[in-house]
Amino acid sequence: MASAKYDVIVVGGGNAALCAALSAREFSKKVLVLERAPEDESGGNSRFTAGLLRVVYDGVDDLKRLMPDLSEDEIRRTDFGAYIAEQFLDDMARVTEFRCDPDLTEILVKQSFPAVLWMRSKGVRFTAAWGRQAFKIEDRFKFWGGLTVEAIGGGPGLVDSLTQAAKKNGIDIWYTSRALSLIADDDGVHGVRVRRSGKTLEVKSKSVVLAAGGFQANTEWRTRYLGPGWELAKVRGTRFNTGDAIRMALDIGAAPVGNWSGCHAVAWERNAPEFGDLAVGDQFQKHSYPWGIYLNAEGRRFVDEGADFRNYTYAKYGRVILTQPGQFAWQVFDGKVRHLLRDEYKIRQVTKRSAQTLEELVKKLDDVNPDAALNEIQAFNRAVRADIPFNPNVKDGRRTEGLAIPKSNWANTLDTPPFEAYAVTCGITFTFGGLKINSQAQVVSTDGEPIPGLYAAGELVGGIFWFNYPGGSGLTNGAVFGRIAGRSAATSAG
Ligand SMILES: Cc1cc2nc3c(=O)[nH]c(=O)nc-3n(C[C@H](O)[C@H](O)[C@H](O)COP(=O)(O)OP(=O)(O)OC[C@H]3O[C@@H](n4cnc5c(N)ncnc54)[C@H](O)[C@@H]3O)c2cc1C
């Protein structure tokens, strides 16, 4: 392969790709990143995130290594607890119904903290996610959901820091450069065919890392693999993740694996645009449903809003909303919990209704049967075990009794004005099915052998997430396997 122009080509420009490129650069000289998006839309879904990363830490001393700026005062006022490897493994096993690939999951968990420390060494800065993942009770914050670490500047900050690091390390980044296919023969992969600013060219390399995201922005594949109705979902993030790199790998014999009919999908502003808007970022999401109730077009509740902490239910409830009549629902809250609503409820681009009485509110809910809705709320109110104290920091067991669809925690009667309702639909985040990789992030063929010169990381890898997902695992997944893929690709390139 003396003619190879690059040692490693990385396809994609998000978190997994940039981590792969930085890692490859530690072991080889010439690394190229191909990003399909123009520079002002680059960074994939990673740029749309809040930058939250689920990582194992044994206590505040670990966090201080990652965030040396934590002040003594912040530490005194915060109960960070710990999130040990067993908890992360348990969370992965539980939410994926024990289907997550055990080897890849163990790597994800065990390498989570080393990977973020490594990102820090490249210039990414982290802070504690007080705003979204902790509640203040009597002057002390308590983290409740195993998710404590946030990149400074959120997703845009994360992508900017990684991009700056890549440029500083002499990595070439080509924007508006769409990988079309792999250059491959019996000996493996030798480069990528690219369309760069309208021109198709072949770029040779000793190895290739695929990190170009899932297929959620491809309407036809969504409907084909996730099933009928999925063409009606809104895409939360980038419009560029159309499954290109998955297809490129399948075309040369890579094995598909994982939950091809599954995806991460959440409650998302009903009138949001078809794809994500970087100016709004993740704020179209509506994640405070554990403090209220859902109603559908028939005025009925349809899901246990308090089944678990939000971090463990939000990613599967988008699908439930998609299956409601008209693919929408309203989240309803009363005055007692308004202070708990996340910042995303305060943006300008919300479909919101307010009223001083429930009778008035139900009439304002577009496309909903008002009489049925009022009956449902009244039945819900009667079923609440108000004798159990409400506590948002723990699964408080304050539940309903006797309802066909229970609310298992945080059940509060809706009785205090002002009443508020927010209209949501299903927003798809990313797809779960993808390419099979081994522990070195080598792409495995349908014959069960690694394909020489081909590696993969991030959203387009299958087998890790099934049905559901513990919040903040996507960026960690990209960082851990991006780092491994980059190193493997560079070292195998010799
Ligand atoms: C609104 C929102 C909020 C989220 N919040 C969080 C969070 O706080 N924490 C968390 O862990 N996860 C979060 N996620 C999930 C997270 O974004 C993903 O799991 C993660 O960013 C995936 O990283 P990736 O690098 O694999 O993919 P991406 O970041 O999507 O990168 C894929 C890249 O590939 C490029 N590409 C696509 N096709 C081609 C091609 N043919 N040629 C070249 N390039 C191509 C794209 O342009 C893009 O740059 C969120 C997602 C969304 C949409």
Side-chain angles (χ1 to χ4, degrees), residues 13 16 35-36 45-46 49 52 179 212 240-241 244 429 459 472 474-475:
E35 163 62 295
R36 177 178 171 188
N45 269 355
S46 305
T49 71
L52 287 157
F240 295 102
N241 289 4
D244 282 8
T429 319
E459 253 175 25
L475 290 174

Side-chain angles (χ1 to χ4, degrees), residues 251-316:
D251 282 350
I252 65 152
V257 77
N259 191 194
W260 274 73
S261 62
C263 67
H264 180 304
V266 309
W268 193 247
E269 160 58 38
R270 187 179 180 193
N271 294 305
E274 293 310 306
F275 296 100
D277 175 350
L278 278 168
V280 179
D282 67 359
Q283 303 270 303
F284 285 128
Q285 66 203 10
K286 296 288 167 275
H287 282 351
S288 294
Y289 56 85
W291 321 132
I293 62 167
Y294 270 117
L295 291 177
N296 68 12
E298 292 160 352
R300 306 304 302 266
R301 285 179 59 250
F302 52 89
V303 76
D304 182 348
E305 303 88 346
D308 202 336
F309 284 119
R310 192 275 300 171
N311 285 349
Y312 303 110
T313 58
Y314 78 112
K316 62 178 180 178

Side-chain angles (χ1 to χ4, degrees), residues 11-17 34-37 41-54 132 177-180 211-214 216 236-238 240-245 248 264 268 281-282 285 314 428-430 457-460 469 471-476 478:
V11 179
N15 176 58
L34 296 175
E35 163 62 295
R36 177 178 171 188
E41 287 184 86
S42 64
N45 269 355
S46 305
R47 185 150 156 200
F48 283 86
T49 71
L52 287 157
L53 290 108
R54 182 169 291 261
R132 290 188 170 197
S177 297
R178 181 176 187 175
L180 301 174
Q216 62 278 358
R236 296 178 68 205
T238 177
F240 295 102
N241 289 4
T242 51
D244 282 8
M248 285 160 54
H264 180 304
W268 193 247
D282 67 359
Q285 66 203 10
Y314 78 112
I428 182 169
T429 319
F430 66 94
E459 253 175 25
L460 53 59
Y469 152 110
S473 311
L475 290 174
T476 307

Side-chain angles (χ1 to χ4, degrees), residues 212-477:
F215 60 83
Q216 62 278 358
N218 181 334
T219 313
E220 193 253 343
W221 273 35
R222 258 198 340 259
T223 315
R224 190 191 312 184
Y225 294 114
L226 304 184
W230 278 98
E231 69 278 24
L232 304 171
K234 309 240 180 204
V235 176
R236 296 178 68 205
T238 177
R239 63 194 169 98
F240 295 102
N241 289 4
T242 51
D244 282 8
I246 299 177
R247 179 191 42 76
M248 285 160 54
L250 296 182
D251 282 350
I252 65 152
V257 77
N259 191 194
W260 274 73
S261 62
C263 67
H264 180 304
V266 309
W268 193 247
E269 160 58 38
R270 187 179 180 193
N271 294 305
E274 293 310 306
F275 296 100
D277 175 350
L278 278 168
V280 179
D282 67 359
Q283 303 270 303
F284 285 128
Q285 66 203 10
K286 296 288 167 275
H287 282 351
S288 294
Y289 56 85
W291 321 132
I293 62 167
Y294 270 117
L295 291 177
N296 68 12
E298 292 160 352
R300 306 304 302 266
R301 285 179 59 250
F302 52 89
V303 76
D304 182 348
E305 303 88 346
D308 202 336
F309 284 119
R310 192 275 300 171
N311 285 349
Y312 303 110
T313 58
Y314 78 112
K316 62 178 180 178
Y317 281 0
R319 175 182 285 266
V320 183
I321 296 167
L322 190 75
T323 58
Q324 299 311 305
Q327 304 84 43
F328 73 93
W330 287 86
Q331 297 179 352
V332 185
F333 306 96
D334 82 348
K336 295 196 297 298
V337 296
R338 264 172 96 208
H339 67 288
L340 291 174
L341 299 191
R342 293 158 52 108
D343 287 349
E344 67 225 21
Y345 286 78
K346 299 174 187 101
I347 64 169
R348 203 165 36 84
Q349 304 89 333
V350 284
T351 307
K352 173 182 174 181
R353 302 288 179 264
S354 311
Q356 288 302 315
T357 64
L358 286 170
E359 288 75 5
E360 200 190 326
L361 184 81
V362 292
K363 288 192 196 123
K364 291 184 173 176
L365 305 182
D366 303 341
D367 307 323
V368 173
N369 177 333
D371 297 334
L374 190 60
N375 283 339
E376 187 79 347
I377 296 172
Q378 287 164 344
F380 175 83
N381 281 349
R382 284 194 298 273
V384 170
R385 283 283 306 270
D387 55 312
I388 303 170
F390 171 70
N391 181 351
N393 264 326
V394 294
K395 285 203 256 178
D396 62 4
R398 184 178 159 113
R399 60 187 180 277
T400 59
E401 256 165 30
L403 296 181
I405 296 177
K407 183 168 180 188
S408 304
N409 294 285
W410 313 297
N412 279 318
T413 47
L414 291 144
D415 55 16
T416 307
F419 300 98
E420 287 183 356
Y422 296 82
V424 293
T425 185
C426 169
I428 182 169
T429 319
F430 66 94
T431 43
F432 288 158
L435 302 175
K436 185 173 172 65
I437 60 167
N438 64 17
S439 59
Q440 296 308 308
Q442 292 175 290
V443 175
V444 175
S445 77
T446 48
D447 295 324
E449 298 297 328
I451 298 175
L454 191 61
Y455 303 82
E459 253 175 25
L460 53 59
V461 169
I464 299 177
F465 304 118
W466 301 72
F467 312 122
N468 191 9
Y469 152 110
S473 311
L475 290 174
T476 307
N477 177 43

